[in-house]
Amino acid sequence: MDNRSHFDTASKTWDNEETVKRNEAFSQSIKKHIPTHVSKLMDFGCGTGLLTGQLIDQADELIGIETSNGMLEQFSERFIRASKVKYLAINLEKESLPSNVGPFDVIVTAMAFHHLIGPLKMLSLFKRNLSPSGMIFIIDLDEEDGTFHPDNKGMGVHHFGFSKNTLESWSKELGFSSFQHEIVYDIFKNDRSYGIGMGIYHL
Ligand SMILES: C[S@@+](CC[C@H](N)C(=O)[O-])C[C@H]1O[C@@H](n2cnc3c(N)ncnc32)[C@H](O)[C@@H]1O
C-alpha cells in the first residue's frame, strides 16, 4: 500500500479525541511564535484540517496541501463555509506549487515529514516560498526506534522521526537565520511516550 492509499483509508477514522487534542496543542505552541495575524499560511499534509482549523483566525488566507483525496473530502467539508480556506490536491514531492499561491508568511506541517522521501528538499521548497521574515514550523515525531507505527512500510513511513540535531542541521545547510526547537507534545502508546518536536525556522 502506498502513502496515498494508506491515508485515503485512514481519513475515515482520522478525527478522534487524540488527533484533535494533539493538533490543539500544536496550534497553541505555534501561536506563541507567530504574529496575531498574517496574510497567508500554508498547512502542508493538512489531512482533515485539524491544525488548519485551529489557526483559522491567524491568517487572511489558509491553504492546505494534501495528496489524499479521502483526507481532502473531509477538509473541504470542514471548511465549506470558510471561503478563506483553500486546498491544493497535490503530492508536493512530485508536483510543483502553482506559481500564484505563495509566498507564505507562515508554513506549518504536522506529522507529515516522516512520510516524505526527501524532507530536506521539502524544507528547501518551503524556504523558496516564504515571505520576507516568514517562518516554518515542522512538527513531527522526535527520533524514535521504529515502533511508533505498527507497519512502517504499509503506512508509508520513510523516517523514524527527526532529532533536534537533524532538524538543526537542515537549518544550517539551507542558511536559515535562526532555528529553535521544542518538544510540544507526548503521544502515549505501546506503554511508553513518544515525544513530538517542533523545529522553527526563520528566514
Ligand atoms: C499523519 S497525516 C497528518 C495529517 C494532519 N497534519 C494531522 O496532524 O491531523 C500526514 C498527511 O500528510 C500527507 N502527505 C504525505 N506526503 C505528502 C506529500 N508528498 N504531499 C502532500 N501531502 C502529503 C498525507 O496524505 C497525510 O494526510
Side-chain angles (χ1 to χ4, degrees):
M1 198 187 263
D2 67 11
N3 205 336
R4 187 166 149 181
S5 43
H6 162 67
F7 282 113
D8 283 343
T9 307
S11 67
K12 296 179 177 55
T13 53
W14 188 259
D15 291 5
N16 59 46
E17 205 179 321
E18 164 57 29
T19 54
V20 169
K21 191 170 143 220
R22 74 188 186 215
N23 276 290
E24 278 172 9
F26 299 163
S27 72
Q28 290 308 322
S29 298
I30 292 168
K31 284 178 190 173
K32 288 183 194 146
H33 296 273
I34 62 175
T36 43
H37 203 83
V38 299
S39 173
K40 266 193 189 187
L41 181 147
M42 177 211 283
D43 180 3
F44 170 74
C46 59
T48 63
L50 291 176
L51 183 58
T52 317
Q54 290 291 330
L55 297 171
I56 196 163
D57 294 330
Q58 305 290 134
D60 292 331
E61 195 178 344
L62 301 95
I63 300 179
I65 308 283
E66 177 56 56
T67 186
S68 154
N69 290 328
M71 289 289 192
L72 284 174
E73 268 172 37
Q74 300 201 35
F75 185 96
S76 49
E77 225 169 89
R78 185 186 303 279
F79 299 115
I80 201 155
R81 284 186 195 84
S83 58
K84 68 177 182 175
V85 182
K86 303 182 174 71
Y87 68 82
L88 284 170
I90 52 175
N91 180 334
L92 206 48
E93 289 207 293
K94 295 188 177 156
E95 298 155 90
S96 310
L97 268 185
S99 55
N100 57 345
V101 295
F104 298 93
D105 307 292
V106 174
I107 298 179
V108 301
T109 181
M111 304 300 278
F113 256 48
H114 61 265
H115 293 287
L116 297 179
I117 296 161
L120 176 60
K121 201 170 161 201
M122 187 62 72
L123 181 58
S124 168
L125 186 155
F126 288 176
K127 185 170 181 260
R128 291 196 300 279
N129 286 280
L130 268 190
S131 310
S133 77
M135 294 170 80
I136 298 167
F137 296 81
I138 298 180
I139 297 176
D140 211 314
L141 284 161
D142 198 22
E143 190 169 35
E144 49 109 5
D145 57 4
T147 56
F148 182 81
H149 297 86
D151 174 8
N152 286 310
K153 198 162 175 250
M155 297 172 91
V157 174
H158 290 283
H159 307 271
F160 298 157
F162 304 98
S163 66
K164 178 186 175 190
N165 282 350
T166 298
L167 294 173
E168 187 162 23
S169 72
W170 296 348
S171 172
K172 290 186 181 135
E173 188 163 345
L174 296 176
F176 283 94
S177 67
S178 76
F179 172 81
Q180 290 162 270
H181 184 270
E182 296 167 14
I183 295 293
V184 291
Y185 193 73
D186 285 296
I187 296 178
F188 292 93
K189 64 192 273 190
N190 305 332
D191 296 324
R192 55 167 284 193
S193 83
Y194 295 85
I196 306 296
M198 177 170 81
I200 310 172
Y201 300 81
H202 300 252
L203 198 61

